[in-house]
Amino acid sequence: MDVNAAVAAAAAIAGVCTGVIAVLAFRWSEREQARPTRTSLHTEAGLPPGVDTVLSVLRSSAVVLDESDAVVKASSAAYALGLVRGGKLAVDPMLQMARDTRRDGEIRQVELDLPRRGTGRGDALAVSARVAPLGSRLVLLLVEDLTEARRIEAVRRDFVANVSHELKTPVGALSLLSEAVMDAAEEPDAVQRFAGRMQNEATRLTSLVQELIDLSRVQNDDPLEDSESVRVDELVTEAVERSRQSAEGKQITMGTGGTEGLHVWGNRGQLAAALGNLVENAVNYSPARTRVKVAGRRIAASGGDLIEIAVTDQGIGLSERDRERIFERFYRVDPARSRATGGTGLGLSIVKHVAASHGGEVTVWSAEGQGSTFTLRLPEAGSARERAAIDRADRLGRNRLSGALKEPAAFDEEERPYVDQADEQLSAPEVLP
């Protein structure tokens, strides 16, 4: 009897201990779950209702500081920019702005250049910081990355400056030559010589204005709105004929080759201008009695077959520095030769934009003294046409859903299967909200 009582007492004591341990474990678990982590570092504590939701949809990097300068809330973009490290605001000028705003309640804004984190690059990160009070004890810091905007602005300024310079040169020459013609009115030979030079400058000015118009058009227009299946053979023939007179004057042999019967899909005028610029450059930058060849072929790619059109010359070639900048606007490898040939430095920029807008690319291989090969890669007509039809059918579906389309759109018969597929998807109940 005493043994049974002892066993029962031991069991009761063990049960009580187990219960106590369970309660302690539960309390410890709750405490650990309530402890903030890096991903939730001060994200909710002390924020007014709704502020966290508003900050989460802002494009700007957002940081909320409390009265002790600790980070109460920081967006992922703030961490990416290096604004917050170890739960503290790491940029001293911004921290000082926050303290001043907490003291007097005034909104402050400043633009700063910050070093890039983890890179050896010398360029800085341009940001705009704005600090405002948030309630009675919190301060809100919003930081906007201005780096790309500044880069675009610099490109725009350079473009305007280059255009002004390029236009000023022929216009100034025409003005001087016209004065020379007036002074030499009694000398027919001088008048004829000056008139010939005026004609050359006028031609150069016309070419520059036309290429500026072409560049603006290929940047702003959608080539697929006026697209068609274009024979590569016809593009090559047209480009070669465009430069044949210049080639014959320098005794340059023009050759064509490659696979026949290739087609690309796009704007015929833009494609002809792009390939024509490549061939014209090859002739202009090649010495006399050399060879320029244009050839096309089909290559396999994961997203569909591509058409390569390669223009090869035996010209002066390009240095590594020139290869990196050759597609920039107004960049010239040899300014003296460009003036002699009437080059504007815009031809390859046009080629680059045409290739990009048609879903392709342009690349260059070159070595100094050995010549260059410019390769234009474009989607083959079949795959490009299918993608264009799918895109149009998708736009049609969205317009019908929104009620914006009043009349049925006109499609080619080859595009009809994609339109019918879009109609079937639109009629399916699961598509509708």
Side-chain angles (χ1 to χ4, degrees):
M1 190 68 174
D2 293 337
V3 173
N4 292 335
V7 171
I13 293 172
V16 171
C17 292
T18 301
V20 170
I21 292 173
V23 170
L24 292 176
F26 178 75
R27 295 293 186 185
W28 179 83
S29 176
E30 283 187 332
R31 191 161 50 247
E32 285 296 312
Q33 290 179 2
R35 182 178 300 173
T37 63
R38 172 179 170 81
T39 57
S40 63
L41 182 63
H42 302 298
T43 55
E44 302 295 340
L47 285 180
V51 172
D52 183 60
T53 303
V54 173
L55 296 181
S56 65
V57 299
L58 290 177
R59 289 187 176 183
S60 305
S61 302
V63 181
V64 179
L65 304 175
D66 63 13
E67 63 272 13
S68 62
D69 293 333
V71 175
V72 177
K73 169 73 178 180
S75 64
S76 58
Y79 284 101
L81 289 178
L83 304 179
V84 178
R85 301 176 192 173
K88 296 290 185 180
L89 185 61
V91 183
D92 290 338
M94 295 182 186
L95 185 58
Q96 186 60 47
M97 288 174 58
R99 291 169 178 171
D100 294 341
T101 296
R102 186 184 300 112
R103 184 182 65 253
D104 56 26
E106 293 185 4
I107 298 176
R108 288 175 169 81
Q109 184 169 353
V110 67
E111 293 188 2
L112 300 171
D113 292 332
L114 307 179
R116 292 182 182 269
R117 292 184 59 195
T119 66
R121 299 165 57 183
D123 53 341
L125 195 68
V127 299
S128 174
R130 185 179 180 87
V131 180
L134 185 64
S136 59
R137 64 183 189 87
L138 302 180
V139 174
L140 172 63
L141 170 66
L142 296 178
V143 180
E144 190 77 22
D145 188 355
L146 303 179
T147 307
E148 183 65 13
R150 284 193 180 181
R151 187 192 68 80
I152 294 174
E153 179 64 19
V155 170
R156 187 193 65 81
R157 287 197 305 268
D158 290 343
F159 180 73
V160 172
N162 286 326
V163 169
S164 302
H165 174 75
E166 296 295 334
L167 291 175
K168 182 176 65 175
T169 302
V171 169
L174 286 172
S175 178
L176 293 175
L177 289 170
S178 64
E179 293 179 5
V181 168
M182 293 177 63
D183 294 339
E186 304 299 330
E187 302 177 25
D189 293 339
V191 170
Q192 186 175 6
R193 183 172 68 255
F194 291 142
R197 294 181 60 184
M198 290 177 67
Q199 188 174 15
N200 290 337
E201 294 296 335
T203 301
R204 178 182 175 186
L205 181 60
T206 301
S207 176
L208 174 60
V209 172
Q210 184 59 51
E211 290 202 344
L212 286 172
I213 294 173
D214 292 340
L215 180 60
S216 176
R217 181 178 295 117
V218 300
Q219 286 180 312
N220 297 326
D221 290 353
D222 182 4
L224 297 181
E225 290 184 357
D226 188 21
S227 56
E228 59 182 318
S229 179
V230 183
R231 287 179 56 90
V232 174
D233 296 339
E234 295 178 358
L235 292 177
V236 171
T237 300
E238 185 176 339
V240 169
E241 290 299 323
R242 169 177 164 178
S243 299
R244 186 171 297 279
Q245 184 175 357
S246 299
E248 291 176 351
K250 300 172 66 174
Q251 299 180 7
I252 293 176
T253 303
M254 305 282 285
T256 60
T259 307
E260 298 182 354
L262 302 176
H263 290 75
V264 293
W265 182 260
N267 185 293
R268 178 183 177 82
Q270 292 188 15
L271 294 173
L275 186 58
N277 285 340
L278 292 180
V279 176
E280 186 176 10
N281 276 358
V283 172
N284 289 339
Y285 287 91
S286 293
R289 292 178 294 277
T290 56
R291 180 180 177 85
V292 171
K293 184 175 181 180
V294 187
R297 64 169 183 165
R298 179 188 293 107
I299 62 172
S302 58
D305 290 348
L306 298 176
I307 302 300
E308 276 192 354
I309 309 174
V311 180
T312 304
D313 63 60
Q314 298 172 323
I316 61 176
L318 301 169
S319 65
E320 182 177 355
R321 175 178 179 274
D322 290 330
R323 289 197 300 271
E324 294 175 353
R325 302 189 58 191
I326 193 65
F327 295 103
E328 294 179 10
R329 302 168 182 172
F330 296 108
Y331 183 78
R332 296 183 179 90
V333 175
D334 186 349
R337 179 174 297 213
S338 295
R339 285 192 294 270
T341 60
T344 62
L346 291 174
L348 291 179
S349 294
I350 294 174
V351 176
K352 177 182 177 181
H353 284 289
V354 170
S357 63
H358 283 75
E361 63 175 352
V362 58
T363 59
V364 58
W365 172 92
S366 186
E368 291 185 274
Q370 300 182 29
S372 306
T373 298
F374 286 84
T375 303
L376 184 62
R377 293 187 183 89
L378 300 166
E380 192 175 17
S383 57
R385 185 183 180 88
E386 291 171 5
R387 282 195 292 271
I390 292 173
D391 290 341
R392 292 184 64 190
D394 183 59
R395 289 196 299 269
L396 172 65
R398 290 197 301 269
N399 289 337
R400 284 178 175 172
L401 281 177
S402 63
L405 189 64
K406 303 304 181 183
E407 298 294 337
F411 286 87
D412 296 337
E413 287 303 318
E414 296 182 18
E415 296 177 282
R416 180 55 56 187
Y418 305 104
V419 180
D420 294 340
Q421 181 181 2
D423 288 338
E424 292 177 2
Q425 293 175 349
L426 286 173
S427 60
E430 58 269 20
V431 176
L432 298 177

